[in-house]
Amino acid sequence: MTPEERSAVLALLHSAHVTEPTRRALLERLDARYERQFFDEAEFGQLRALAVRLVPHDPADMDLTGTVDHRLHAGAGDGWRYADAPPDGDAYRALLAALPDGFETLDAEAQDTAIPAVQASHPHAFEDLLAELTEAFMAHPLTQYRFGYVGFADAPQWPHVGPNELEPREVAYGPH
Amino acid sequence: MAPTDALPTDLDVLVIGTGAGGAPLLARLASAGLKVAALEAGVRHPPEGIATDEVAQAGLFWMDERLAAGKDPVSFGRNNSGRGVGGSTLHYTAYTPRAQPDDLRLKTEFGQGEDWPLEFAELEPYYDELEYFLGVSGPAEYPWGPQRRRPYRHPPLPLNGAARLMQRACAEIGMRTSPAANAALSRPQEQPGYGTRHTCTNRGFCQAGCSVGAKASMDVTFLALAESLGAQIVDGAQVTSLTMRGGHVTGAEFVRGDRLEHLSARTVILAAGAVETPRLLLMNGLANSSGQVGRNFMAHVGVQVWGQVDDDLRPYKGIPGGLISEDTHRVPGLIGGYLLQSLGVMPVTYATQYARGTLTWGPELIQHLSGYNHVAGINVLGECLPYEHNRLELSDELDGRGLPKPRVHFSFGENEKRMTVHAEALMRDLWGRIGARDVWALPRAAHTLGTARMGTDPATSVVNPDGRTHDIENLWICDNSTFPSSLSVNPALTQMALSLRTADALLGGLKG
């Protein structure tokens, strides 16, 4: 995250366009970093390497791997799982165990080559992990800034909703 | 912190659940002078505390784990199950189309599915009442179904990008469209027991919680009215069993905070939804002489088609489902039919659906998601027939309270598969006409219906046409579990109509 990106995000979050509950949630997420608690160190390293290939991001910007670990440690779920799959943590561990040895040390191309095989052997775990990482990525204020998403700045309402009918704060937010 | 409010005593009626099934009748019974209370597993979510953020709003959904089995496993959680004072209406998209008369007579018309044990004429006055009370915004002339006797209370909400694109594409092929009926206010409205509900701010977050009270969720409508009339709502109360004596239900046991508590009442109404209601009945071995509890689980055919256009659409703005067409209410070759809806969408919902639906990963995934502001969606909602093979059962796996997790088997039948193919082809054609690129389809099922069906025959149904269980004279069910067939429209308005109708039947019985 460049200093310019960070200050643009903070400027909007601290503006009157954002309600207090929304501001609180997004400010907390912007800098959220988690201690590893659920996976062991080797698993965590593999998961981080896999996460970077599945949903390309800079772990220094956003701690997607830590978000997954934190959720599993807290025992939180999303309301359902495939009946023929083990609990999420076990399913993810099995997926990681199916990666080739030293996956995290392979070059990017070799890592990408290895992924389809684990996807085929652990389809539910792959889908769930991909969705979970994607959620954490898309919910991050930095991603939203980079994609020009301003929906959280809704305190003043959106009087115009048709195609290309943008409010000044929509035009201004995001990279140009 | 342990809850401190005192529990009510000497109750006439105890309602379990505060969604579209439980809330309207709670208000109706309270206004008739009955002493009533409701138990709600979730907590209160006042509008002003609701963040404009999907992850922060996870608390509005039922996140206890359910096991999804079958060939087309249903995703629960954020897909379809609410938790909180107001139930799933906290996150319904506020679509409130009426069922059409022939929706209730599927078996008569097609020889398959089920007929409802009631007529459209019995629902109609309740539809009229509800549309006014909730403050539905809709068109002056709605093109489908019987002419309504009372017009919508408010003019339609503005059409957002996806709605306008669908309007254009449908016009090209001669399909009629109309602004949808939405239970969100296009003008402010005074709400009895609540105060002023404000005009919709076009914030687009209807699939999660509304922050201004514009959306007619139960908390700002029927529940506020019920409480103003003396009804008590005990929130954070997860019911774990129904208590019985001499073949009658005497109340419910529930966990609140870390305490197990009990409420007694002369009549109990289960309004916990098509998963928790049968789960509770099966755990207690109640009301199941027909063997139908948990059977005939249904979820609407809900395939979505998404695409991206050059226009800057900002899919987070406007009511998500602004436009509708019911021209596909009957389609040759299909049993029942479906309706079309335009779709706005929030970024996290879109992104996770895209990831699950296409399994795209790597730079391609990021590339696609970066086009979020240009995304337009369209979907259908269609009939799902009741089947023996679609059912809810208790698994051996226990949840955090030591209760068995529900396992739900769901597989589309031939009709649902044909309907999905038909609808996807139509929507791909429409999105082709607006020049959409990166078009992709998400096969999907929406809503939870069935599992405690209503009927006149105690051998084949769980409740009678009024909602009273055949087996237990003072136990009633009022939620989407009693739907004998799915209807080809969103269920919330019909559910509320059934709720008022059940209340009137109960009150009539007390008078008689």
Side-chain angles (χ1 to χ4, degrees):
Chain A
M1 181 172 353
T2 65
E4 291 74 25
E5 287 173 325
R6 189 178 174 80
S7 67
V9 171
L10 289 175
L12 186 60
L13 287 181
H14 285 297
S15 77
H17 294 140
V18 179
T19 64
E20 185 51 38
T22 310
R23 177 180 301 122
R24 211 162 40 231
L26 292 175
L27 283 175
E28 190 181 311
R29 198 172 307 145
L30 181 65
D31 293 319
R33 296 290 183 275
Y34 299 100
E35 290 279 328
R36 174 184 63 77
Q37 288 178 292
F38 182 83
F39 293 106
D40 68 28
E41 203 170 323
E43 289 168 339
F44 195 77
Q46 289 176 311
L47 179 62
R48 188 167 46 209
L50 181 60
V52 167
R53 299 317 302 162
L54 293 183
V55 182
H57 67 282
D58 181 352
D61 282 340
M62 52 186 89
D63 186 12
L64 304 190
T65 316
T67 305
V68 174
D69 183 278
H70 179 71
R71 197 266 302 175
L72 291 169
H73 179 71
D78 62 357
W80 70 286
R81 73 168 207 265
Y82 290 109
D84 56 358
D88 291 352
D90 297 344
Y92 286 178
R93 281 192 164 121
L95 175 81
L96 296 174
L99 289 169
D101 287 340
F103 175 80
E104 64 280 13
T105 62
L106 300 176
D107 65 34
E109 200 177 326
Q111 286 177 334
D112 286 356
T113 306
I115 287 172
V118 293
Q119 177 181 357
S121 61
H122 296 75
H124 289 332
F126 180 87
E127 178 192 326
D128 287 342
L129 178 62
L130 177 63
E132 185 169 3
L133 292 167
T134 301
E135 170 173 325
F137 172 78
M138 202 68 173
H140 197 276
L142 177 62
T143 303
Q144 298 186 348
Y145 171 81
R146 287 175 175 168
F147 292 176
Y149 168 75
V150 203
F152 57 87
D154 65 345
Q157 80 178 326
W158 302 105
H160 307 108
V161 301
N164 308 309
E165 294 176 357
L166 302 187
E167 303 296 324
R169 63 189 186 276
E170 295 178 285
V171 177
Y173 198 60
H176 290 279
Chain B
M1 196 175 68
T4 52
D5 50 317
L7 292 176
T9 54
D10 196 35
L11 287 173
D12 292 311
V13 178
L14 174 64
V15 182
I16 299 169
T18 59
L25 63 76
L26 189 71
R28 189 71 128 219
L29 299 177
S31 73
L34 267 58
K35 188 161 183 198
V36 294
L39 292 169
E40 166 56 51
V43 297
R44 290 176 192 267
H45 300 279
E48 65 278 8
I50 288 182
T52 303
D53 180 82
E54 293 160 276
V55 173
Q57 293 203 12
L60 295 175
F61 298 88
W62 191 278
M63 292 301 200
D64 289 7
E65 195 162 81
R66 294 163 172 173
L67 305 177
K71 292 197 190 74
D72 303 286
V74 176
S75 59
F76 295 98
R78 274 185 233 181
N79 185 36
N80 53 23
S81 312
R83 190 184 186 100
V85 174
S88 293
T89 66
L90 292 169
H91 67 77
Y92 77 142
T93 41
Y95 252 119
T96 46
R98 296 178 170 196
Q100 294 192 31
D102 58 2
D103 280 326
L104 306 172
R105 296 191 305 263
L106 219 53
K107 187 148 198 169
T108 301
E109 188 179 351
F110 295 99
Q112 287 193 56
E114 281 300 322
D115 286 350
W116 285 47
L118 53 89
E119 297 286 324
F120 179 84
E122 294 174 64
L123 294 178
E124 194 176 21
Y126 294 114
Y127 283 152
D128 288 343
E129 178 184 345
L130 284 162
E131 286 163 357
Y132 186 80
F133 177 79
L134 301 172
V136 172
S137 301
E141 297 289 335
Y142 189 74
W144 305 278
Q147 177 90 31
R148 54 176 33 74
R149 293 179 298 197
R150 189 176 199 175
Y152 287 119
R153 186 164 175 179
H154 304 294
L157 292 160
L159 298 180
N160 66 6
R164 295 200 206 177
L165 293 174
M166 175 177 148
Q167 196 175 35
R168 202 172 85 205
C170 287
E172 274 192 30
I173 61 168
M175 264 189 98
R176 291 172 298 169
T177 57
S178 168
N182 290 119
L185 300 176
S186 59
R187 299 188 292 218
Q189 171 175 313
E190 286 307 308
Q191 197 69 40
Y194 180 76
T196 306
R197 286 172 52 212
H198 300 289
T199 304
C200 174
T201 58
N202 301 325
R203 153 183 186 270
F205 248 75
C206 316
Q207 264 176 314
C210 178
S211 61
V212 296
K215 187 173 80 172
S217 47
M218 294 299 95
D219 53 336
V220 299
T221 55
F222 280 113
L223 296 175
L225 176 61
E227 289 190 293
S228 76
L229 295 167
Q232 197 167 335
I233 298 170
V234 182
D235 71 342
Q238 171 75 46
V239 174
T240 53
S241 72
L242 299 176
T243 50
M244 299 289 296
R245 191 169 55 230
H248 281 63
V249 62
T250 55
E253 237 173 30
F254 56 97
V255 177
R256 193 168 57 138
D258 49 9
R259 304 220 320 255
L260 186 65
E261 303 188 86
H262 183 265
L263 263 184
S264 304
R266 282 177 275 284
T267 298
V268 173
I269 301 178
L270 256 179
V275 176
E276 293 307 313
T277 284
R279 183 185 182 211
L280 203 51
L281 291 175
L282 289 172
M283 285 192 303
N284 287 266
L286 295 177
N288 197 20
S289 65
S290 63
Q292 287 295 314
V293 173
R295 298 281 168 176
N296 301 298
F297 177 85
M298 297 170 281
H300 283 121
V301 170
V303 54
Q304 302 179 338
V305 167
W306 296 95
Q308 296 190 11
V309 296
D310 290 337
D311 284 326
D312 200 337
L313 294 182
R314 306 283 165 158
Y316 52 82
K317 294 200 297 185
I319 189 102
L323 200 78
I324 199 165
S325 177
E326 294 196 50
D327 268 7
T328 46
H329 180 68
R330 287 293 176 264
V331 172
L334 295 181
I335 298 161
Y338 61 89
L339 55 74
L340 269 92
Q341 309 171 318
S342 59
L343 285 177
V345 68
M346 288 298 144
V348 171
T349 299
Y350 180 75
T352 52
Q353 286 191 347
Y354 181 75
R356 281 193 189 276
T358 69
L359 299 173
T360 304
W361 55 273
E364 258 183 276
L365 173 65
I366 307 296
Q367 176 61 33
H368 182 88
L369 297 183
S370 71
Y372 164 77
N373 276 334
H374 301 267
V375 162
I378 183 169
N379 87 322
V380 301
L381 211 128
E383 192 74 46
C384 170
L385 297 177
Y387 297 105
E388 191 68 18
H389 62 260
N390 288 336
R391 65 186 197 281
L392 177 146
E393 62 184 0
L394 302 177
S395 73
D396 296 332
E397 203 175 311
L398 303 182
D399 68 12
R401 295 183 185 83
L403 305 176
K405 291 181 184 177
R407 183 190 295 119
V408 180
H409 298 261
F410 187 73
S411 306
F412 279 143
E414 281 311 308
N415 193 53
E416 292 73 37
K417 289 180 193 164
R418 275 203 303 275
M419 190 175 287
T420 298
V421 168
H422 187 276
E424 183 179 331
L426 170 60
M427 293 189 291
R428 281 184 181 275
D429 175 46
L430 292 171
W431 258 208
R433 288 167 190 276
I434 59 162
R437 54 179 188 272
D438 293 340
V439 174
W440 65 282
L442 177 70
R444 185 174 158 274
H447 306 130
T448 58
L449 305 160
T451 69
R453 60 159 56 152
M454 68 165 85
T456 51
D457 183 356
T460 57
S461 58
V462 179
V463 299
N464 74 10
D466 290 334
R468 185 165 59 78
T469 60
H470 293 299
D471 293 358
I472 301 168
E473 184 258 332
N474 66 337
L475 177 64
W476 299 59
I477 301 176
C478 186
D479 57 36
N480 46 18
S481 68
T482 70
F483 279 39
S485 72
S486 73
L487 310 177
S488 58
V489 294
N490 312 53
L493 188 73
T494 301
Q495 181 54 61
M496 292 180 220
L498 289 176
S499 181
L500 293 177
R501 185 172 169 276
T502 286
D504 288 346
L506 204 149
L507 290 167
L510 292 177
K511 275 187 216 133

